[in-house]
Amino acid sequence: MTRKARRRLHPIAIMAGLGKELKNMVVPLLVIMAAGSRHGFSWTDILVPLAALIYTLVMGVLSWLRFTYEWDDTCLVVEEGVFVRKKRSIPLERIHGISVTEGIWQRMAGVVQVHIETAGDALGEAEVTLRAISREEARRLQRCVEQAKHKAESASHPEPLANRPHPVLFTLSMKEVWVASLTSGGALGVVAALCAFLSQFSDFIPYEALVRDIQSTWNGHGRWYIALLILSILLAAYGVAIVQNMIRYASFVVRKQEDTIVIARGWLERKAVSVPVDRVQGVVIHENWLRRFFGYASVSIIHAGGALDGGPSGEVVLCPLVKKHRIVPIVQACLPEYRLDVPFCPLPQRAKSRYMLRPLYWLTIPVGVAAYMERPWGAGLLFVLPLALWIGARRYQAAGWALSSKQLSLRNGWFRRTTAHLLKRHVQSLEIATTWWQRKKQLVTISASVMPVGTRSRVVDVDEEDAASIYRWLQGEKGDQT
């Protein structure tokens, strides 16, 4: 295959780039205009925003003109830069992740946006982003990458990669998308984002006066109105979170293409993420209390790279919502090395009291003060304390660990139970820590981390001897365990 002629992106890439830049500029420009108009409107107040807008438009066009790309069966070559010209040549076998996105601008022109990630890029940042290329060209690039990796590994297949069937391993129905959106939560994240946005206008919103009004309303026995307002805000945020998740997880499909897991999702913005199996560092199962009640869970894979699907860096959602009995066959089809049906070892009985008392350390004083200030009805808040003891006992029952010859599994939490399955060769470090109170009961906290840096799983109050056996296992001194 000969190298293709150097080419530019589709012109819609100009609008896509400008849309992103203008989105980042909206809040600063509004603040500048509002600050300038505090002492009366003047035409000079819009000079800076207008100059910034013109500069962004010109740079957007020039960046598009100066961006070119080409590839053959061995490498991808990209040249870009307006004032400083930069040329990058990326061997196709070094490409570890490709995600294909169809945003609003791309859909208007019938093209897609391609993010390409290699081993050497920064976490959460794509090595190369092709903002607007045709769907067929994106598919050809993916096939070239698969063929290059296939040749590099000296593997042989009886038929061409492009003609091999790729069965669907997992999909979400519209009912499951709705259930996943209802049970995912996210309302607090929406409230936090709203607070962060409003904080940009702290100089113009009279927060002090608002706080005084809330205090006077509270003292005037209007606390029920305030509680109703807070509840309304939380319900509205919950509704926004539901809509966001439905848009994100619509048409969710998982396929296995040779040694690559392909995850496609999205409604307004279609996205396809390719994760090579050899870049998977672990499997994580999340179960919040509501999903667990109905027998559901979500599954993510720890990926040694950036945030390919827009989530946390290094984590890719494999199954947003799935019945627990289906998890094992789905993961086995995608990642045959992992064993998810392992028996867990419970924590020692002497750790139970620590789990039960731990919530009381930070609950007792605020609950006691609130019960005293709102007496006599505030005494009902004291029922929170035995509830905290019960939740602590449930957390103790849920926590545990499992060890086999090739895999370490750690489980913790109750409201949001998390189970991490890590292969021995992917564990970067194992930390054993202990406090003075833990030493008295011969307990420790174990933490295991994999790539990317910061991806860590832990279990509190493990028996010292069990932690020592896990440490020996990692060091290779422990024989095969089943």
Side-chain angles (χ1 to χ4, degrees), residues 395-471:
R395 291 183 67 244
Y396 162 77
Q397 294 173 358
W401 59 277
L403 201 63
S404 65
S405 59
K406 298 181 180 179
Q407 178 181 295
L408 170 66
S409 302
L410 302 175
R411 186 171 64 197
N412 65 81
W414 183 75
F415 273 110
R416 182 175 174 82
R417 181 185 299 173
T418 301
T419 306
H421 301 275
L422 314 172
L423 292 182
K424 181 178 181 178
R425 68 174 183 270
H426 294 319
V427 177
Q428 299 294 313
S429 66
L430 182 69
E431 179 181 326
I432 299 177
T434 180
T435 65
W436 183 82
W437 295 103
Q438 285 179 316
R439 282 196 296 271
K440 291 184 64 176
K441 293 194 173 186
Q442 297 180 326
L443 301 172
V444 298
T445 297
I446 58 173
S447 301
S449 62
V450 296
M451 288 294 292
V453 178
T455 307
R456 183 180 296 270
S457 303
R458 72 170 192 159
V459 178
V460 181
D461 293 341
V462 177
D463 186 270
E464 282 184 348
E465 294 184 1
D466 292 337
S469 67
I470 296 174
Y471 182 80

Side-chain angles (χ1 to χ4, degrees), residues 17-29:
L18 289 177
K20 182 178 180 180
E21 293 296 329
L22 293 176
K23 178 182 176 181
N24 296 331
M25 292 171 57
V26 167
V27 173
L29 291 180

Side-chain angles (χ1 to χ4, degrees), residues 197-208:
F197 176 78
L198 293 177
S199 66
Q200 302 290 330
F201 301 94
S202 58
D203 293 335
F204 314 106
I205 298 177
Y207 288 115
E208 295 182 0

Side-chain angles (χ1 to χ4, degrees), residues 35-143:
S37 61
R38 295 179 69 180
H39 305 290
F41 176 78
S42 173
W43 289 106
T44 58
D45 297 334
I46 65 172
L47 288 181
V48 173
L50 184 60
L53 181 61
I54 294 174
Y55 175 80
T56 303
L57 292 173
V58 173
M59 290 300 295
V61 175
L62 291 178
S63 298
W64 174 76
L65 288 173
R66 300 283 285 173
F67 189 101
T68 61
Y69 68 98
E70 58 182 328
W71 82 82
D72 57 16
D73 54 355
T74 60
C75 66
L76 170 69
V77 179
V78 176
E79 294 187 45
E80 60 180 325
V82 178
F83 301 111
V84 179
R85 195 71 172 160
K86 183 167 62 173
K87 181 176 181 179
R88 287 179 287 178
S89 180
I90 304 173
L92 296 185
E93 65 268 16
R94 285 188 63 245
I95 295 177
H96 291 297
I98 296 179
S99 62
V100 180
T101 306
E102 297 181 45
I104 296 177
W105 295 108
Q106 285 81 11
R107 283 192 173 189
M108 290 173 58
V111 295
V112 296
Q113 178 174 276
V114 179
H115 298 272
I116 299 170
E117 182 192 0
T118 67
D121 66 333
L123 291 181
E125 298 179 0
E127 178 80 9
V128 174
T129 299
L130 305 178
R131 291 190 182 276
I133 66 175
S134 67
R135 292 186 180 90
E136 180 57 34
E137 198 165 11
R139 285 193 288 267
R140 286 199 298 268
L141 177 58
Q142 287 178 317
R143 286 197 295 267

